[in-house]
Amino acid sequence: MYTISGHHHISMLSKNAKQNNHFYRHILGLRRVKLTVNQDDPSMYHLFYGDTTGSPGTELSFFEMPFIGRTHRGTNAITQIGLLVPTEESLVYWQNRLKSFHVKHGEITTYANRPALHFEDEEGLRIVLLAANGERIDHWQTWDESPVPTEHQILGMGTVEMTVKRLNKLADTLQMFNYKEISRTANEAIFQSVDGQVFGEIVVKELDGPSEKPGRGSIHHLAIRVSNDEELAYWDERVKERGFQTSGIVDRYYFKSLYFRESNGILFEIATDGPGFTIDGDIATLGEKLDLPPFLEQRRAEIEAHLQPIEED
């Protein structure tokens, strides 16, 4: 029986790639591991941040959409991302760091039964830092050039929050993927793809009302991890058997994927671990220049002419 080995990446919408680049590299201290474009619309940047190599489970991805409006928050949406830090002491470090950069944040509290610190990026994306407190995050590799000390660096993705009108419908979909329900209240449930591990955890909240209208700072989709092409093909068949339409398997060059929407409209991607971001670059210079998949390389001059520089002045 195949299982999901955790989160692969999560993708958000940004209005301003330059601002986004500054926040995630210089304030959060992540490495920009891939500077590329949206393969379905190469007029827009697609930025990936993560650990040293952009290991699956550490990747935050952003599509730049310069004309996008604000998010109208609501239900039937992915509403928050969790990022892991090593300890409760790390939360104190981050509280001080966010304050020094005038980043909107709250007090240290708890979330999904872990010490937590909530904050928002400059576009209103809701993020919570969670203390791993000894949980092993074996897929994370230290980024030695980060402005954040190693003992407080972000370790990758943690709990992802989804808010939906029909909790049980989403629960059925997660259980198809062998997620285990570890707690349940009247309007909230927590699921884990790997028992006891936060890097594959999803909190589902039930909320009636208008559906979210996405804009800057909204979350587009969550990608979950599979090891290889064989597992991806297996899940493609399982999803179709449940009556969902899928995109079919799509070769994204850095990994292969398929996409589907569950009954509440939440978009999931299922993505393979490899080949990874080093397929067209070496580790030392990863993310420093515009990389294009082979099928777009012949359009490089046209694509570059429409992209605005995002590096610091």
Side-chain angles (χ1 to χ4, degrees):
M1 179 178 69
Y2 293 128
T3 58
I4 300 300
S5 52
H7 308 318
H8 187 282
H9 68 268
I10 192 162
S11 293
M12 282 69 68
L13 305 181
S14 174
K15 185 179 178 68
N16 187 316
K18 185 173 183 178
Q19 180 187 63
N20 181 274
N21 181 67
H22 174 80
F23 187 89
Y24 287 89
R25 293 178 74 189
H26 301 292
I27 298 179
L28 294 196
L30 301 175
R31 187 179 193 186
R32 191 182 70 202
V33 290
K34 191 58 60 177
L35 175 64
T36 188
V37 295
N38 181 350
Q39 294 182 11
D40 300 320
D41 181 1
S43 67
M44 68 173 71
Y45 276 117
H46 193 184
L47 308 179
F48 286 86
Y49 307 94
D51 67 357
T52 296
T53 60
S55 307
T58 74
E59 303 165 21
L60 306 183
S61 125
F62 293 85
F63 299 105
E64 185 195 37
M65 304 180 72
F67 303 107
I68 198 168
R70 72 179 182 91
T71 297
H72 296 266
R73 292 177 176 175
T75 191
N76 286 350
I78 305 173
T79 42
Q80 183 174 252
I81 63 173
L83 301 177
L84 298 172
V85 295
T87 62
E88 291 184 57
E89 289 74 18
S90 299
L91 296 179
V92 176
Y93 167 86
W94 277 102
Q95 188 177 41
N96 292 328
R97 183 173 178 84
L98 294 174
K99 182 178 180 180
S100 72
F101 283 101
H102 307 290
V103 176
K104 181 180 179 181
H105 67 281
E107 298 299 318
I108 295 172
T109 180
T110 57
Y111 177 78
N113 305 313
R114 291 179 177 83
L117 176 64
H118 292 265
F119 71 100
E120 295 184 4
D121 76 2
E122 294 160 309
E123 298 187 293
L125 173 64
R126 288 174 283 190
I127 306 171
V128 60
L129 296 177
L130 301 165
N133 281 347
E135 290 188 49
R136 294 183 62 185
I137 315 296
D138 292 335
H139 51 267
W140 176 74
Q141 303 173 62
T142 304
W143 172 226
D144 292 333
E145 296 181 38
S146 173
V148 176
T150 301
E151 64 269 24
H152 299 310
Q153 283 182 21
I154 291 169
L155 303 177
M157 295 173 61
T159 307
V160 172
E161 180 183 289
M162 301 180 179
T163 304
V164 295
K165 293 181 181 180
R166 298 177 295 173
L167 190 156
N168 287 333
K169 285 289 188 181
L170 181 49
D172 287 346
T173 299
L174 293 175
Q175 287 162 354
M176 172 183 70
F177 289 107
N178 301 314
Y179 280 73
K180 181 180 178 181
E181 183 177 308
I182 63 165
S183 71
R184 170 80 75 125
T185 63
N187 58 359
E188 181 176 314
I190 301 177
F191 300 85
Q192 293 177 341
S193 65
V194 181
D195 192 22
Q197 298 296 330
V198 67
F199 54 75
E201 187 169 270
I202 296 174
V203 167
V204 182
K205 295 184 174 183
E206 190 167 64
L207 177 68
D208 204 3
S211 295
E212 179 174 292
K213 294 181 180 178
R216 58 184 179 270
S218 64
I219 301 168
H220 189 261
H221 67 268
L222 171 67
I224 56 180
R225 289 179 65 182
V226 297
S227 298
N228 52 42
D229 294 4
E230 179 181 330
E231 291 185 26
L232 188 63
Y234 169 82
W235 288 116
D236 190 28
E237 290 305 313
R238 287 296 309 278
V239 170
K240 289 174 180 173
E241 287 171 4
R242 282 294 185 98
F244 297 118
Q245 290 187 335
T246 82
S247 63
I249 295 172
V250 181
D251 187 348
R252 294 300 190 193
Y253 187 53
Y254 305 111
F255 42 81
K256 292 182 180 176
S257 300
L258 68 89
Y259 304 81
F260 77 99
R261 289 189 186 274
E262 56 78 55
S263 301
N264 294 282
I266 302 292
L267 180 62
F268 282 91
E269 177 181 356
I270 310 170
T272 60
D273 279 353
F277 291 129
T278 57
I279 190 174
D280 58 357
D282 60 72
I283 293 176
T285 59
L286 206 60
E288 292 182 7
K289 63 178 180 61
L290 182 69
D291 288 319
L292 298 174
F295 80 93
L296 288 176
E297 190 59 50
Q298 63 186 7
R299 297 176 56 191
R300 175 174 288 273
E302 169 200 345
I303 290 169
E304 289 181 338
H306 287 89
L307 296 173
Q308 297 298 315
I310 65 170
E311 302 303 335
E312 299 297 310
D313 294 329

